[in-house]
Amino acid sequence: MLRSYRSLVGGHPVGGHADGAGWVHWVRAGDALEAPYDMAVLKATLDTGAAGPDAFTHPSLVGRVALSGPDQRRQALAAARAHQPAWSRVPLAERVGFVTAFHRVLRARQDELLDLLVAEGHPVRVARMEISTMLAAVHPRTATVAAGLMSCDHRVNGRRIELVRKPDGVVGLIPARNAAAATLVFSAVMTLAAGNAVVVDLPPSAPLSAAFVCHELIAPLLAGHARVFSALCAPVREVVPEWLASPDVDDIYYFGPSRRGLELAAECLRHGKKPILELSANDTVVVWRDARLDLAIAAMLEAFYASGQICLTPNRAVLHPQIADEAVKGLRREIERLVVGRPERTDVILSPVVRRAEFTEVVAEAVGAGATLVTGGEFVDVHEVPRARGPFIRPALLRVDGLKQARTLRAACEETFFPLLTTVIADPVRTDDVIAFLNSNRYGLRNSLWATDRAVIAAFATEVRNGGTLKINDSHLGPVPLLPIDGGTARTGGPGGEANLPMLRTTHLQAISTATDVPDDLLFDYFSAVADA
């Protein structure tokens, strides 16, 4: 079945261009790996409207999403502004019920979403991980706890004091291009539950799975309040200036590279908008001398999910020197077992790599500075045949001796959005020095620790301030209800960045004091208000 999604404006699909023009078409990624020229021609003829009717029945064609024009984008913002106040008046418990309903329907239709993610090129194991992460982000317990943080109510000296979080209003959302459906779910569902209206700009580079989520999962559940939700598809370079200039946008919620995100934050502030940033990452796994090494190796291997092109994957590992040789040996053995292939294969976690030239530069720089390339780094095609223009890179493992040297290398200090894990042998090996290495990270999404020494665990839990999330003796990637999926410090979240519960990040705190039982003669007696109760 060919899935076809028009622009969703104010909760309703709207008419667009004639069939075959003004659409982004998607061909099955596995077929594109096998026959790249033929699939590129098919997609190009469809996108430009030059295809004949037979092209629409091609077995490799999965679906299409309509591009959105300026008029549709303006209408979406106007609908969001007009209908958000009524939605915000819906009791919070009912809006939390929307999250619970979404969780239920996502579970029921996860196989459909899985098929679309795989068609877009997500290996099936990676897609399953993404769906489990979506389910954690909108788990009923997650929603209940977030809602509990939205308000508190106390009686103080004859007054009712309420601390209440109010929705910011209209939120413009730009999901990640490499994981549009997942980041859309992480952000949009809880942002709506907070009482906001949401206008999503789906990336034209890969919009199909995200359009499915918007049209078939989110919008129907909003029922009579669907007009607070729109899903468009347009180049971000066109959309962002419109949102910055529009009085109908309050927040811009952006997933993307750090440099552009931090520039956007400055532009938002100049235009009176609130930026919410989910940017690049450089996650670290620390493996102490008493760690369960088999489990720690499994956690470090998570670096290669989607060839490292997911911000939540670890980029580097800091190893205690007493276990370093054994850990590197075990990592090499497991890395060399990873296979390349079509995304439909259940034994595949590797994806085609976008930044191949940057990979070569970063590895060459590290090796030139004295690091050791333990394994990997060859360019190969989908059949693992070495080719200079192969879309895949064999997973690479670097060894760097010493924290001082690591601080000089891009392989250890910058986001590496390709299949590379840099192991850093801790020297010096004191916990204070390793913690200082983590806290000096220019990025700050996740850190994880493998150790059994309670004093070491307590030191990391107390003193590691970098990052939105710290996981201890657990999967680095793995989702858990209540645990924020994203959010971070430094270049990952920008100024004010932190672990992200979207229900809180897209609201603001308001304090309300109501005099309920204060004698008239004490209303202006300031000292009576602060007397001990």
Side-chain angles (χ1 to χ4, degrees):
M1 178 186 71
L2 177 67
R3 294 184 182 271
S4 182
Y5 298 109
R6 296 188 180 275
S7 296
L8 190 69
V9 176
H12 301 287
V14 298
H17 302 281
D19 288 353
W23 297 84
V24 175
H25 295 80
W26 196 262
V27 297
R28 195 169 300 279
D31 295 345
L33 289 171
E34 299 278 4
Y37 178 78
D38 292 343
M39 293 300 103
V41 169
L42 173 62
K43 177 173 168 56
T45 56
L46 287 164
D47 286 352
T48 58
D54 290 347
F56 290 93
T57 60
H58 195 288
S60 296
L61 181 60
V62 183
R64 62 181 186 171
V65 177
L67 292 168
S68 307
D71 288 343
Q72 293 174 344
R73 301 198 292 265
R74 284 191 291 270
Q75 292 165 11
L77 294 180
R81 178 62 78 202
H83 295 276
Q84 183 272 331
W87 171 240
S88 71
R89 289 192 290 270
V90 173
L92 178 59
E94 292 185 28
R95 300 199 305 267
V96 169
F98 154 72
V99 179
T100 301
F102 178 85
H103 183 268
R104 184 167 55 249
V105 74
L106 176 59
R107 287 185 67 92
R109 301 188 68 179
Q110 61 181 295
D111 288 346
E112 293 176 76
L113 178 56
L114 180 72
D115 288 344
L116 290 175
L117 289 170
V118 173
E120 286 183 330
H122 301 234
V124 65
R125 282 177 58 188
V126 175
R128 285 174 178 156
M129 179 276 295
E130 291 179 88
I131 292 173
S132 68
T133 305
M134 297 181 215
L135 289 167
V138 296
H139 193 279
R141 291 189 65 186
T142 305
T144 299
V145 169
L149 298 172
M150 291 284 282
S151 67
C152 67
D153 191 331
H154 294 277
R155 300 298 190 276
V156 181
N157 291 338
R159 293 171 174 82
R160 179 187 182 188
I161 304 298
E162 299 170 84
L163 299 177
V164 184
R165 300 199 69 87
K166 299 290 183 71
D168 289 341
V170 176
V171 178
L173 171 61
I174 301 171
R177 288 185 296 175
N178 63 311
T183 51
L184 168 69
V185 171
F186 299 168
S187 50
V189 175
M190 288 294 192
T191 297
L192 284 163
N196 297 290
V198 174
V199 178
V200 183
D201 180 38
L202 305 178
S205 56
L208 190 59
S209 61
F212 166 80
V213 170
C214 292
H215 283 256
E216 303 201 30
L217 306 188
I218 293 178
L221 294 175
L222 290 168
H225 294 281
R227 293 182 69 83
V228 299
F229 183 65
S230 294
L232 310 170
C233 182
V236 69
R237 66 180 180 274
E238 298 177 10
V239 171
V240 166
E242 294 172 359
W243 286 0
L244 288 170
S246 174
D248 291 329
V249 176
D250 299 296
D251 298 358
I252 296 182
Y253 198 146
Y254 175 80
F255 289 81
S258 289
R259 179 179 297 178
R260 177 60 188 126
L262 294 173
E263 291 172 351
L264 175 60
E267 294 170 6
C268 285
L269 295 177
R270 282 195 294 272
H271 288 82
K273 315 295 184 186
K274 175 179 173 180
I276 302 169
L277 306 177
E278 295 294 344
L279 309 178
S280 308
N282 183 26
D283 284 13
T284 310
V285 178
V286 177
V287 185
W288 212 245
R289 61 172 174 255
D290 57 352
R292 278 282 307 275
L293 199 53
D294 57 335
L295 299 178
I297 287 173
M300 289 184 281
L301 282 172
E302 292 176 317
F304 300 108
Y305 270 66
S307 291
Q309 297 169 118
I310 301 174
C311 62
L312 298 174
T313 58
N315 291 40
R316 60 187 190 175
V318 177
L319 307 178
H320 193 286
Q322 289 185 17
I323 53 87
D325 289 344
E326 185 180 358
V328 171
K329 181 180 178 181
L331 273 169
R332 177 175 184 166
R333 180 180 62 250
E334 297 302 323
I335 287 170
E336 291 176 351
R337 291 175 177 171
L338 297 176
V339 298
V340 166
R342 289 178 62 109
E344 294 88 351
R345 287 176 52 177
T346 58
D347 58 344
V348 166
I349 63 171
L350 301 172
S351 300
V353 179
V354 176
R355 302 181 187 175
R356 295 192 293 281
E358 185 180 341
F359 169 86
T360 301
E361 292 172 5
V362 168
V363 172
E365 176 200 72
V367 172
T372 301
L373 178 60
V374 178
T375 188
E378 303 86 3
F379 287 27
V380 297
D381 66 15
V382 69
H383 302 295
E384 300 209 64
V385 176
R387 296 190 187 281
R389 296 185 179 181
F392 292 90
I393 301 176
R394 289 293 311 161
L397 179 65
L398 278 175
R399 174 177 176 141
V400 177
D401 288 290
L403 300 175
K404 181 177 180 181
Q405 184 187 23
R407 288 190 173 95
T408 69
L409 301 176
R410 281 192 289 170
C413 293
E414 296 294 333
E415 181 193 43
T416 52
F417 216 59
F418 32 75
L420 172 66
L421 177 65
T422 300
T423 55
V424 180
I425 315 308
D427 177 21
V429 73
R430 297 174 303 179
T431 55
D432 288 352
D433 294 297
V434 175
I435 290 171
F437 182 74
L438 296 188
N439 285 336
S440 66
N441 191 353
R442 296 176 66 212
Y443 302 85
L445 185 57
R446 289 188 174 194
N447 295 299
S448 60
L449 168 69
W450 290 86
T452 55
D453 187 319
R454 292 184 179 180
V456 171
I457 291 172
F460 276 80
T462 303
E463 298 173 27
V464 173
R465 65 180 183 274
N466 173 273
T469 299
L470 172 64
K471 299 189 75 178
I472 299 171
N473 294 327
D474 200 357
S475 156
H476 190 92
L477 271 178
V480 184
L482 310 189
L483 191 73
I485 302 303
D486 44 26
T489 56
R491 291 176 64 87
T492 293
E498 60 184 2
N500 186 353
L501 289 175
M503 197 179 287
L504 305 185
R505 292 284 280 164
T506 59
T507 57
H508 54 276
L509 186 65
Q510 186 179 83
I512 304 171
S513 174
T514 304
T516 56
D517 191 22
V518 182
D520 291 351
D521 60 332
L522 295 182
L523 284 171
F524 301 98
D525 181 343
Y526 309 135
F527 279 94
S528 69
V530 297
D532 291 339

